[in-house]
Amino acid sequence: DAGVTQSPTHLIKTRGQQVTLRCSPKSGHDTVSWYQQALGQGPQFIFQYYEEEERQRGNFPDRFSGHQFPNYSSELNVNALLLGDSALYLCASSPQGVRNYGYTFGSGTRLTVV
Amino acid sequence: DQQVKQNSPSLSVQEGRISILNCDYTNSMFDYFLWYKKYPAEGPTFLISISSIKDKNEDGRFTVFLNKSAKHLSLHIVPSQPGDSAVYFCAASGRSSGNTGKLIFGQGTTLQVKP
């Protein structure tokens, strides 16, 4: 049983560019959350998607947007990249209604902005 | 505003001894707390959790203690094994309106267990 799959694993982008990160949730999970983990910090909540809608959002600017598809997979888009956006981006999936401990995290996408 | 704090960036213990990782929080609305373990190049994996209605939860070698009055929780690992060497994150979630399960993480503590 595959867990959460994220692609790509590593990415290098230039400041000002746009990037799309992808996530396939664990089988049986329908809710996807995205987190940003800067170096030496804990993960920070970006937003959560359920039923193809953004259900909750963290303290991130509108440059960060997302999407969830009918098959529950999700994308994270970041526009106008800044050097400070360099981080590990983690996707977590869960069955809706199983709060918190139901999360399964992917291995993340390492984004470097130069 | 760091609502969940892990003040010790690192901890080193000898194999077989007890590891104690600490976590403090400031938001009294938090009602569920979790510990995650993270190896390099992997995502965080769930370790153990505790609800605010309890003060202790045990799972094998891992025990989490919650002191609500002090807004403090700790993770005890007994006995520690070299395979426990990883980064440990404390996380919390609250019952505020509209919260669908967002986790607030601490900065992490790197545990090294020496053989």
Side-chain angles (χ1 to χ4, degrees), chain A residues 15-38:
Chain A
R15 190 172 47 182
Q17 284 188 315
Q18 178 263 345
V19 68
T20 297
L21 310 182
R22 295 176 175 83
C23 172
S24 293
K26 182 179 178 178
S27 177
H29 288 185
D30 57 8
T31 302
V32 173
S33 301
W34 287 92
Y35 287 80
Q36 179 197 65
Q37 186 183 5

Side-chain angles (χ1 to χ4, degrees), chain A residues 45 48 55-57, chain B residues 94-102:
Chain A
F45 177 79
Q48 182 184 80
R55 297 293 176 166
Q56 191 176 12
R57 189 179 183 90
Chain B
R95 51 183 182 268
S96 59
S97 173
N99 183 20
T100 58
K102 160 179 118 176

Side-chain angles (χ1 to χ4, degrees), chain A residues 35 37 40-45 48 55-58 88 90 99-101 103-108, chain B residues 31-32 34 36 38 41-44 46 49 89 93-95 98-103 105-107:
Chain A
Y35 287 80
Q37 186 183 5
Q41 301 296 316
Q44 278 198 293
F45 177 79
Q48 182 184 80
R55 297 293 176 166
Q56 191 176 12
R57 189 179 183 90
L88 179 68
L90 295 163
R99 188 178 166 213
N100 303 331
Y101 57 85
Y103 284 136
T104 299
F105 280 86
S107 298
Chain B
D31 65 348
Y32 205 85
L34 308 91
Y36 282 84
K38 187 178 185 302
E42 294 184 13
F46 170 75
S49 63
F89 291 101
S93 187
R95 51 183 182 268
N99 183 20
T100 58
K102 160 179 118 176
L103 295 177
F105 283 86
Q107 309 95 308

